Amino acid sequence: MADKQDDFSSLYSDDEILDDDDDDSYETIPNNGGSWQDYGLSTLKDSVYLPAIGKRQSALGKEGNSAPQLTPVIKMGWLDKNPPQGSLIYQKRWVKLDADFLRYFDNDKDMYSKRIIPTTSITNITNVGDQKFEVVTHNRTFVFRADSDFERTEWVTVLQETIRDQKYTHKDLSGQHLHGAAEMQGYLELRGLRSKLYVVVSGDKVLLYKNMEDYKLGIGITSIDMNVGNVKDADRRAFDLTTPYRTFSFVAESDQQKDEWVEAMQNSIGEALSNYEVAEKIWVDEFNQFCADCGAAKPEWAAINLCVVFCKRCAGEHRGLGPSISKVRSLKMDKKVWTDELIQLFQVLGNRGSNTFWAANVPPSEALSPASCSSDRRRFIAAKYREGKYRRYHQLFGNQEALDNALCINIQSNDVLETLSLVFCGANVNCDTGNPDFPTPISLAQSYEQHLQVEFLTQNKNTEIPRSEVGGHMDTVHYMAPPSITHNGFLYKTASMGKPITERRAKEEFSRRWCTLNDGNFNYYESDRNSTPNGGLKMKEIVCLVVNPLETHGYDHTFEIYTDSERLYLFGTDSPDVMREWVKSIAKSFIPSSAEDLLNRDFERIGKLQYKDGLNLQSPKVGWFSLVGSTLYACFEDSEGEEAIHLKKLQELSIQQENEVLVLVERRRTLYIQGNRKLDYLTWSTAIQRAAGSSGDTLSQQQLTESDIPVIVDRCIDYITQCGLTSEGIYRKSGVNSKIATLLESFRRDARSVRLKEGEHQVDDVSNVLKRFFRDVKEGIFTSEASAAWLSTSAIADESQKILNYQSLLSSLPRVNKATVRALVNHLYCVQRFADMNQMNLHNLAIVFGPTLFQTDGKDYNAGRVIEELIGHYVAIFNVNEQQLKKQLDEITAIIKLREINSSSKVPPAGDFICTVYLEEKKETAEQHVKIPATMTAAELALEILDRRKISVREKDYWCCFEVNEKEETERPLHYQEKVLPILHSMGTESCLVVKKHYSMEAMLIYLASKVDDSKHGMMKFREERNLLGLGLNTGSFHDRYFILTSTSLRLYKEVRSLQKLQIPELQCSHRPEKEWPVRSLKVYQGIKKKLRPPTCWGLTVVYANEKHEKQHWYLCCDTQTEMREWFATFLSIQNDGNVWPSETIKMRASRVPLDTRLGNISLIPLRGSENEMRNSVAAFAADPLALFRDL
Ligand SMILES: [Zn+2]
């Protein structure tokens, strides 16, 4: 037994390992947390086992409630650690093991360890005599000594099991690693410590390492969970990270760095808190604070169908059951899954309720404890949920009809526990309720507004109920594929084919076959007595399953199967039940568990497709999709859960590359679906296009905007607002009939693709399209059911009662109708506000729109009155924010003013507009407002600005127009021939144009003149932007890469050494590059934003933008300015075919188009950007409409 080292101020270094003689000065930090010093007093000598059942909290001590360490501890106890080099004294350490980390502490009260070793980095555990054992990692070996052989054996066994588990554990479950993506990292001084520490802010943790080498090895000192952290400013360069257990006082190298550290740590706290948002809500019930299966504290995982929460180790076993039994989700990571209803369900049911069912009869000998080994867990969890061994049997168990009946009655109440017990005793979630209006239990529960029942039923639509006959054979398989599906029966089948089916197949074309689905194989036989199949296919070959509409073919119910090898199989039956069973079984057997959510709905088609999206346009990925009505559900690679794409709300849907790519543009993303196989892709493409179009004549069947307004309505209102508010008799005049019909027809065909343009479309035609649309829309905007109620409301005498009535009628309209009424009345309100110009006052509008909207013949006077009142009481009825309304009216006034200026100039509107350009730097006094015609080049713009300021261009002055992006801290000199207008259109609000001298131009021209060819290669430091979830969080760091820039592409190589041996660029090219970009699609900017911590200040930011204006960023950093200049010059030269600068300045001037200095030619809405940005710029006009013209 070694002496206890309790001399705290000792200069003994806690020399970590045999081969490491670092002075571990961290251990001499004076403590300011309280518990730091009293470690030596502990008398607890033996290692602590977590008790088997109950009272975990007290045994865990501080681990119980507020501890930041949430992964359950597997084993902890005192061990002696090998003495540091040059010493013989063993050091007593409190050692703790959980699934993720092995760590040791000075004493059993410390919150922060002296060492933290990820279990993933442990390669071996070996006995080494003398009650000692070694923990071997890739680079280091830690030696511990136990008090007894027994103790030693225990530790070795538990450690070995943990690292074995860690290897098997699904990667989804191995949440935290020391080596996460770092938000910020670097050396920081920790007050009271002799040497600096390497500090890493990563996700919701801050990690301390002795130095960068240790960081790279993954062996840290301690990790600080930021959900209990707080960052405070201290004096000068110092700041404090405070936790309930300790304060870490850091000192940064500079003020700026301090700010960056504080910001990074605050972000980390934010992330930690948001990570725990769901967990905190669910843990409100104390039963949810402990694993439903083993009792470990603070469980972070849940089975959303079984309604239980459990620890990470049990989660691994739940996964093993397969998603049809347990749908495992993380409380921390799967935030999207956790809707309010689901959280509520867990608060109401959760472990407290669910275990009264699932664990009603657990024999104490079979119960788990937090320390149970994996095989015990596996056995218990399979028995509990797969076999239902411990469940409380419902009294109706075994009587299917009675169970189903009881379910249909019970879901009308709020007793979800009873529903759980019915369902898991066999009641059919999809049974027939016998109620034609609400045929399924889910729809029935919905009609009773039992949202928790709906949630529970929805989660269990495809759950396999416990079957006690499947006994313990599961022990051998840890992670398994989805459970094998077995199904058989008679189906009618046609011969397989290689083309889409375009014609109706009569019954005669089908032959009756006995079909079996077993072990992932589908076979069909002449009859059920044959033993040799006529043919078959493997489930894994299936790429798509399509359910045809009723009566498509001779058999009422038919479905199609598409295979990898481009074959199509058509099956039919007359029985809807037979059909449903087959479709369900087949889908279940080829859809992977990662896409299981797709099975929850009655899909029209389901299958896999290749796709690309904004963040990755290089290589396609495989996604799983299902089409349900007008919604495309997708399970993308690398993302949890499914996403819904509302096809009717797409901004654009187009087909590119000769029908091989389907492009879906949503507000936040563009998705490219590719046809790597023709057969199934073609049918997908057709189905998606059909679903994205208008599917009928009611409002909600139209293509919709984000805010649920039919696109046709939105486009017309917009156009009238822009061009028609001053038009006399708007909405009253009739327009040209044939034009109206044509326009309406093209809106009906594909509203999304119709762009209304002044000059091309007449105001009166558009206004009549809108009226005609409303007149014809099926059910009317107020719905045929409610229109009588609307009409009678106008007769109510009491004003306030009348308004209340309108409000209540409004709120009971369907979503799309409500949004449309609101948008239309808002529009009409605006129209009548400008009645002095358009002559359409309240009354006139009401006369026109009353019969139109109520679809009456104009004899019912009430129709007009309703419209008059809706407009008249617009603010009150629709609860309008008056400030916003004023802003809107101001915008309209600005538009009208601009139009007046426009028409007075007598020049037809052209495509040019006015923008702000700065001279030399971006400041107010340097502002110039310039009208930019579509033809204007960068050189012309520069000269225009110089002319105005009477600046003469001297020789060797390289005046140039720069696109300056302040946010990215980058700039790009525009090429002199570049057209300015498209640049302005593509620029975000953070960018501006600055005309200034290009000081490196001369050096670049000299360099280019000396070059033989148009290529360049060499080392640069490279960093890629990993835009996580589109949140713009930057991660990663700079690494050396070898670049080759040729006239066609920029290539990047990882293998520097092998390449450098090959001196000839052509040969180098034959190696496979790590990345490759077409050089002409790249925009190269000078500069890299400081936040990314570029290693030198000579950096380039390379933006790759595709035709959809989605951008990817790469950062290249050079060692010297010359080098950067040379790279930049080479890019310029290649992109402009060697023509980098005009040979004579004079020529440039001569080619200039004489500029029109009149006030006209202003485009109606200033340029670029989203609708909002445009609104803002209109608003800016409104605030000071003359601002733009001041310098003209
Ligand atoms: Zn557990």
Side-chain angles (χ1 to χ4, degrees):
M1 176 72 218
D3 292 355
K4 199 145 172 263
Q5 192 203 345
D6 52 5
D7 178 2
F8 195 77
S9 57
S10 156
L11 291 177
Y12 271 126
S13 62
D14 177 38
D15 187 350
E16 290 315 319
I17 324 86
L18 308 168
D19 60 349
D20 183 323
D21 53 2
D22 272 351
D23 174 5
D24 198 355
S25 43
Y26 177 77
E27 308 211 351
T28 63
I29 310 165
N31 172 41
N32 46 11
S35 64
W36 200 255
Q37 270 151 346
D38 54 16
Y39 78 102
L41 303 173
S42 170
T43 51
L44 192 50
K45 293 256 169 185
D46 299 313
S47 77
V48 171
Y49 264 106
L50 300 160
I53 298 162
K55 309 291 179 281
R56 292 155 295 254
Q57 220 162 334
S58 55
L60 280 164
K62 293 177 82 175
E63 289 285 339
N65 265 333
S66 53
Q69 174 50 46
L70 292 163
T71 317
V73 175
I74 297 167
K75 183 173 171 65
M76 56 188 172
W78 290 100
L79 285 172
D80 291 325
K81 208 183 76 58
N82 212 44
Q85 235 169 23
S87 165
L88 294 170
I89 303 165
Y90 272 82
Q91 297 163 320
K92 209 135 189 67
R93 293 284 177 256
W94 179 250
V95 185
K96 229 190 248 184
L97 172 72
D98 62 44
D100 298 320
F101 302 111
L102 174 69
R103 40 187 129 196
Y104 57 81
F105 301 78
D106 246 345
N107 63 68
D108 59 331
K109 294 188 183 62
D110 277 352
M111 277 324 298
Y112 297 111
S113 59
K114 300 175 89 66
R115 261 291 168 249
I116 176 162
I117 306 158
T119 50
T120 46
S121 70
I122 300 176
T123 53
N124 203 7
I125 308 288
T126 44
N127 281 320
V128 282
D130 213 10
Q131 294 160 17
K132 285 193 277 190
F133 64 93
E134 288 180 347
V135 174
V136 186
T137 73
H138 291 298
N139 324 78
R140 291 194 188 172
T141 303
F142 299 82
V143 182
F144 295 96
R145 188 173 68 185
D147 275 357
S148 65
D149 275 335
F150 174 77
E151 228 354 74
R152 193 247 318 252
T153 314
E154 287 278 351
W155 271 104
V156 169
T157 316
V158 171
L159 272 161
Q160 280 171 342
E161 195 181 53
T162 308
I163 50 173
R164 196 172 47 234
D165 277 0
Q166 190 61 280
K167 285 197 183 101
Y168 289 125
T169 302
H170 197 279
K171 70 174 193 273
D172 289 1
L173 294 174
S174 61
Q176 311 125 345
H177 290 284
L178 277 184
H179 262 132
E183 189 71 18
M184 171 122 186
Q185 61 193 65
Y187 283 99
L188 269 182
E189 188 184 325
L190 184 61
R191 280 215 168 136
L193 203 66
R194 272 172 285 155
S195 54
K196 289 187 175 178
L197 291 181
Y198 197 73
V199 180
V200 175
V201 184
S202 169
D204 57 357
K205 287 185 172 48
V206 168
L207 300 145
L208 306 183
Y209 297 86
K210 219 189 287 184
N211 48 44
M212 203 200 312
E213 288 66 47
D214 271 12
Y215 165 62
K216 285 183 178 152
L217 298 176
I219 306 217
I221 295 168
T222 200
S223 91
I224 305 161
D225 287 275
M226 295 297 272
N227 59 328
V228 293
N230 186 20
V231 187
K232 268 192 280 190
D233 210 354
D235 54 324
R236 304 185 22 182
R237 290 179 286 112
F239 64 97
D240 292 344
L241 168 57
T242 318
T243 74
Y245 317 101
R246 193 169 168 212
T247 297
F248 298 86
S249 293
F250 293 110
V251 184
E253 279 171 20
S254 68
D255 287 344
Q256 190 203 335
Q257 287 211 0
K258 170 179 148 179
D259 292 347
E260 288 173 17
W261 279 108
V262 168
E263 191 193 332
M265 287 192 188
Q266 270 158 352
N267 288 344
S268 171
I269 292 171
E271 184 165 350
L273 293 180
S274 87
N275 281 348
Y276 282 99
E277 248 172 51
V278 173
E280 296 287 355
K281 285 184 197 154
I282 286 179
W283 291 341
V284 163
D285 184 327
E286 56 180 309
F287 279 79
N288 291 340
Q289 290 172 17
F290 301 97
C291 172
D293 300 325
C294 77
K298 301 280 175 187
E300 292 182 0
W301 296 83
I304 53 175
N305 60 326
L306 306 174
C307 294
V308 285
V309 288
F310 35 73
C311 69
K312 182 170 170 179
R313 296 183 80 199
C314 291
E317 306 306 331
H318 273 263
R319 281 255 164 177
L321 297 176
S324 59
I325 294 178
S326 178
K327 288 161 98 176
V328 182
R329 296 289 185 276
S330 163
L331 304 187
K332 276 174 71 178
M333 290 177 281
D334 299 326
K335 290 178 212 165
K336 272 191 289 185
V337 174
W338 294 97
T339 57
D340 289 349
E341 281 81 17
L342 188 59
I343 291 173
Q344 248 187 57
L345 186 61
F346 270 75
Q347 287 166 342
V348 171
L349 219 50
N351 291 355
R352 180 196 298 267
S354 302
N355 261 347
T356 62
F357 173 77
W358 288 115
N361 308 297
V362 183
S365 61
E366 291 182 27
L368 292 182
S369 79
S372 291
C373 66
S374 301
S375 53
D376 283 349
R377 277 173 210 269
R378 197 164 310 152
R379 205 172 301 126
F380 176 82
I381 288 168
K384 188 173 172 187
Y385 303 104
R386 179 192 289 278
E387 299 163 32
K389 186 175 173 189
Y390 315 123
R391 71 188 141 162
R392 187 191 50 176
Y393 281 90
H394 198 278
Q395 54 195 20
L396 300 174
F397 184 80
N399 184 344
Q400 188 66 47
E401 205 176 315
L403 281 169
D404 291 352
N405 196 25
L407 179 69
C408 294
I409 293 164
N410 185 63
I411 49 164
Q412 304 172 15
S413 77
N414 62 3
D415 189 352
V416 226
L417 180 57
E418 175 70 5
T419 304
L420 177 131
S421 111
L422 282 163
V423 166
F424 289 111
C425 281
N428 180 1
V429 174
N430 305 304
C431 68
D432 186 359
T433 60
N435 179 339
D437 291 335
F438 309 106
T440 63
I442 292 180
S443 57
L444 188 59
Q446 221 142 23
S447 74
Y448 282 87
E449 300 204 339
Q450 292 298 341
H451 303 301
L452 298 190
Q453 300 277 19
V454 171
E455 183 66 34
F456 177 82
L457 294 173
T458 309
Q459 296 298 354
N460 283 293
K461 257 177 120 172
N462 298 300
T463 302
E464 279 182 41
I465 62 145
R467 285 181 297 176
S468 35
E469 66 273 15
V470 216
H473 74 276
M474 288 311 303
D475 282 5
T476 45
V477 196
H478 193 175
Y479 286 103
M480 51 174 296
S484 103
I485 311 280
T486 307
H487 194 69
N488 49 39
F490 281 104
L491 278 174
Y492 296 86
K493 177 185 172 299
T494 63
S496 75
M497 51 216 111
K499 276 191 220 149
I501 305 169
T502 46
E503 281 162 15
R504 182 186 163 88
R505 297 300 171 100
K507 269 196 174 177
E508 299 73 60
E509 293 176 69
F510 290 79
S511 349
R512 189 169 185 254
R513 291 285 176 266
W514 174 251
C515 301
T516 65
L517 172 56
N518 206 342
D519 270 345
N521 290 307
F522 178 90
N523 289 312
Y524 43 91
Y525 301 80
E526 201 64 36
S527 81
D528 54 341
R529 282 183 298 277
N530 287 56
S531 57
T532 321
N534 286 7
L537 54 149
K538 290 198 177 352
M539 284 295 126
K540 60 175 189 232
E541 291 174 57
I542 299 183
V543 293
C544 178
L545 171 65
V546 175
V547 179
N548 288 322
L550 200 65
E551 295 170 15
T552 304
H553 299 292
Y555 284 91
D556 284 359
H557 303 275
T558 50
F559 64 91
E560 298 168 1
I561 294 175
Y562 294 76
T563 68
D564 235 345
S565 47
E566 310 246 0
R567 297 301 292 175
L568 161 52
Y569 297 78
L570 175 66
F571 296 92
T573 167
D574 273 329
S575 151
D577 291 339
V578 168
M579 159 93 165
R580 199 177 312 118
E581 280 305 310
W582 273 108
V583 166
K584 207 170 95 185
S585 305
I586 293 170
K588 265 192 183 176
S589 57
F590 84 96
I591 298 295
S593 62
S594 61
E596 66 186 12
D597 286 349
L598 298 179
L599 298 171
N600 293 343
R601 289 178 201 82
D602 288 328
F603 47 82
E604 287 143 41
R605 53 172 55 234
I606 190 166
K608 66 175 165 186
L609 288 166
Q610 283 199 348
Y611 74 95
K612 290 179 182 179
D613 58 19
L615 300 178
N616 177 16
L617 299 172
Q618 301 293 318
S619 52
K621 297 185 194 172
V622 174
W624 292 86
F625 296 83
S626 76
L627 184 64
V628 183
S630 61
T631 311
L632 182 67
Y633 292 91
C635 287
F636 294 116
E637 216 174 291
D638 312 329
S639 68
E640 272 274 336
E642 57 174 13
E643 290 178 43
I645 299 166
H646 300 287
L647 296 173
K648 284 204 196 310
K649 293 194 183 181
L650 290 179
Q651 295 188 338
E652 193 187 321
L653 174 68
S654 59
I655 296 167
Q656 288 181 357
Q657 295 169 20
E658 291 165 16
N659 200 20
E660 276 170 6
V661 184
L662 195 59
V663 186
L664 286 72
V665 184
E666 277 188 295
R667 226 157 76 104
R668 282 169 210 86
R669 110 176 108 195
T670 302
L671 186 68
Y672 303 81
I673 293 180
Q674 291 194 314
N676 58 323
R677 293 170 309 266
K678 258 214 176 89
L679 190 57
D680 62 311
Y681 167 77
L682 273 179
T683 61
W684 271 105
S685 170
T686 318
I688 289 174
Q689 288 178 70
R690 190 168 43 223
S694 295
S695 50
D697 302 327
T698 69
L699 274 187
S700 61
Q701 285 168 322
Q702 309 301 311
Q703 292 176 0
L704 300 174
T705 67
E706 276 287 314
S707 39
D708 283 326
I709 300 163
V711 173
I712 173 172
V713 175
D714 188 65
R715 294 262 156 94
C716 291
I717 288 182
D718 230 38
Y719 181 81
I720 303 284
T721 308
Q722 299 296 330
C723 314
L725 286 190
T726 54
S727 167
E728 204 179 310
I730 178 78
Y731 287 118
R732 198 167 194 172
K733 287 203 204 148
S734 52
V736 181
N737 224 330
S738 60
K739 283 192 178 171
I740 297 167
T742 315
L743 186 54
L744 189 57
E745 176 51 34
S746 48
F747 266 121
R748 287 212 168 113
R749 210 178 314 116
D750 185 11
R752 219 173 275 124
S753 64
V754 179
R755 305 260 179 248
L756 296 171
K757 289 193 197 94
E758 194 167 19
E760 208 170 297
H761 300 100
Q762 299 308 312
V763 166
D764 291 326
D765 297 340
V766 175
S767 65
N768 277 286
V769 164
L770 185 64
K771 272 162 50 187
R772 208 170 286 185
F773 170 75
F774 279 124
R775 179 169 269 288
D776 297 347
V777 75
K778 203 169 157 199
E779 301 268 289
I781 188 173
F782 296 107
T783 73
S784 41
E785 182 178 54
S787 75
W790 280 90
L791 290 171
S792 63
T793 299
S794 66
I796 297 175
D798 178 38
E799 282 289 288
S800 55
Q801 184 55 46
K802 190 190 285 193
I803 287 170
L804 283 177
N805 258 36
Y806 279 130
Q807 283 175 333
S808 108
L809 283 168
L810 193 66
S811 71
S812 51
L813 281 180
R815 195 164 36 92
V816 174
N817 296 55
K818 206 188 310 176
T820 310
V821 171
R822 192 184 176 96
L824 180 66
V825 174
N826 168 277
H827 172 62
L828 297 179
Y829 176 84
C830 294
V831 172
Q832 54 92 33
R833 283 291 296 256
F834 295 91
D836 50 340
M837 289 182 249
N838 59 38
Q839 311 304 323
M840 292 300 283
N841 58 22
L842 192 53
H843 186 69
N844 289 343
L845 282 174
I847 290 174
V848 173
F849 274 92
T852 301
L853 297 179
F854 282 98
Q855 305 181 340
T856 58
D857 51 11
K859 283 178 200 151
D860 188 345
Y861 175 64
N862 284 333
R865 271 189 62 185
V866 172
I867 304 305
E868 192 165 343
E869 284 166 357
L870 286 180
I871 302 171
H873 298 297
Y874 169 60
V875 173
I877 295 175
F878 294 86
N879 217 347
V880 176
N881 176 329
E882 299 200 44
Q883 229 171 334
Q884 265 171 19
L885 183 62
K886 182 181 176 301
K887 220 172 129 193
Q888 192 188 1
L889 291 169
D890 286 347
E891 280 177 25
I892 294 174
T893 312
I895 290 171
I896 292 174
K897 270 190 196 152
L898 282 171
R899 290 181 65 80
E900 278 166 6
I901 296 169
N902 222 350
S903 55
S904 66
S905 74
K906 304 258 189 308
V907 178
D912 52 341
F913 60 86
I914 290 168
C915 83
T916 307
V917 179
Y918 298 88
L919 181 63
E920 295 197 300
E921 60 180 314
K922 189 184 172 186
K923 57 178 187 194
E924 235 171 90
T925 51
E927 265 179 26
Q928 295 286 322
H929 301 287
V930 190
K931 187 155 60 77
I932 314 269
T935 54
M936 189 184 240
T937 64
E940 286 163 4
L941 176 60
L943 284 175
E944 162 81 13
I945 298 286
L946 295 175
D947 267 3
R948 286 187 186 194
R949 288 292 173 113
K950 309 267 182 295
I951 296 171
S952 55
V953 180
R954 282 172 308 201
E955 204 187 341
K956 305 251 162 123
D957 271 357
Y958 294 91
W959 285 96
C960 196
C961 181
F962 284 77
E963 175 190 346
V964 177
N965 187 324
E966 289 194 309
K967 197 174 126 221
E968 295 288 324
E969 298 166 49
T970 59
E971 61 178 33
R972 180 178 78 91
L974 301 191
H975 184 258
Y976 72 98
Q977 289 175 327
E978 228 172 310
K979 295 269 191 298
V980 182
L981 199 66
I983 305 292
L984 279 166
H985 278 296
S986 66
M987 270 178 6
T989 44
E990 65 272 10
S991 294
C992 64
L993 293 181
V994 178
V995 170
K996 59 181 181 180
K997 283 187 209 169
H998 194 326
Y999 290 103
S1000 334
M1001 185 51 84
E1002 180 151 28
M1004 295 205 304
L1005 292 172
I1006 293 169
Y1007 166 75
L1008 287 174
S1010 71
K1011 264 173 79 80
V1012 198
D1013 65 353
D1014 245 4
S1015 69
K1016 178 165 172 62
H1017 46 107
M1019 298 289 295
M1020 281 189 274
K1021 295 195 165 40
F1022 170 72
R1023 174 177 162 148
E1024 187 173 8
E1025 179 179 71
R1026 282 173 50 213
N1027 199 335
L1028 290 174
L1029 305 162
L1031 295 174
L1033 295 173
N1034 285 302
T1035 54
S1037 54
F1038 284 87
H1039 298 286
D1040 280 325
R1041 288 289 183 273
Y1042 195 78
F1043 284 87
I1044 297 179
L1045 174 59
T1046 69
S1047 57
T1048 52
S1049 65
L1050 175 64
R1051 273 169 271 177
L1052 174 160
Y1053 295 85
K1054 211 179 213 165
E1055 288 300 314
V1056 183
R1057 238 168 287 146
S1058 65
L1059 277 162
Q1060 277 178 334
K1061 279 186 206 148
L1062 305 162
Q1063 285 300 315
I1064 314 153
E1066 284 68 36
L1067 275 178
Q1068 292 167 354
C1069 300
S1070 68
H1071 285 245
R1072 241 181 92 80
E1074 189 185 345
K1075 292 184 188 302
E1076 178 167 10
W1077 304 291
V1079 73
R1080 280 174 190 270
S1081 321
L1082 301 178
K1083 265 195 183 168
V1084 186
Y1085 293 79
Q1086 293 172 330
I1088 297 178
K1089 61 181 161 195
K1090 283 181 217 72
K1091 216 185 149 199
L1092 299 178
R1093 306 170 69 77
T1096 73
C1097 59
W1098 312 117
L1100 300 173
T1101 298
V1102 177
V1103 180
Y1104 173 70
N1106 62 13
E1107 64 273 22
K1108 294 287 162 205
H1109 302 296
E1110 290 161 332
K1111 289 173 181 170
Q1112 283 177 291
H1113 288 78
W1114 295 288
Y1115 305 97
L1116 315 178
C1117 208
C1118 306
D1119 286 336
T1120 64
Q1121 184 185 14
T1122 313
E1123 231 181 88
M1124 181 191 79
R1125 214 180 260 160
E1126 290 176 5
W1127 278 106
F1128 193 80
T1130 313
F1131 270 113
L1132 271 187
S1133 171
I1134 291 173
Q1135 293 186 327
N1136 300 292
D1137 300 317
N1139 180 6
V1140 172
W1141 193 257
S1143 44
E1144 283 170 73
T1145 323
I1146 305 300
K1147 272 187 190 158
M1148 203 163 81
R1149 197 177 270 270
S1151 70
R1152 191 150 63 102
V1153 184
L1155 280 163
D1156 187 354
T1157 49
R1158 276 171 303 172
L1159 275 184
N1161 287 14
I1162 308 142
S1163 76
L1164 187 54
I1165 292 285
L1167 43 152
R1168 75 187 138 99
S1170 67
E1171 209 173 292
N1172 242 341
E1173 283 169 67
M1174 292 208 239
R1175 273 190 203 291
N1176 288 341
S1177 28
V1178 174
F1181 269 96
D1184 183 4
L1186 294 178
L1188 286 181
F1189 317 125
R1190 209 156 278 151
D1191 278 295
L1192 279 174

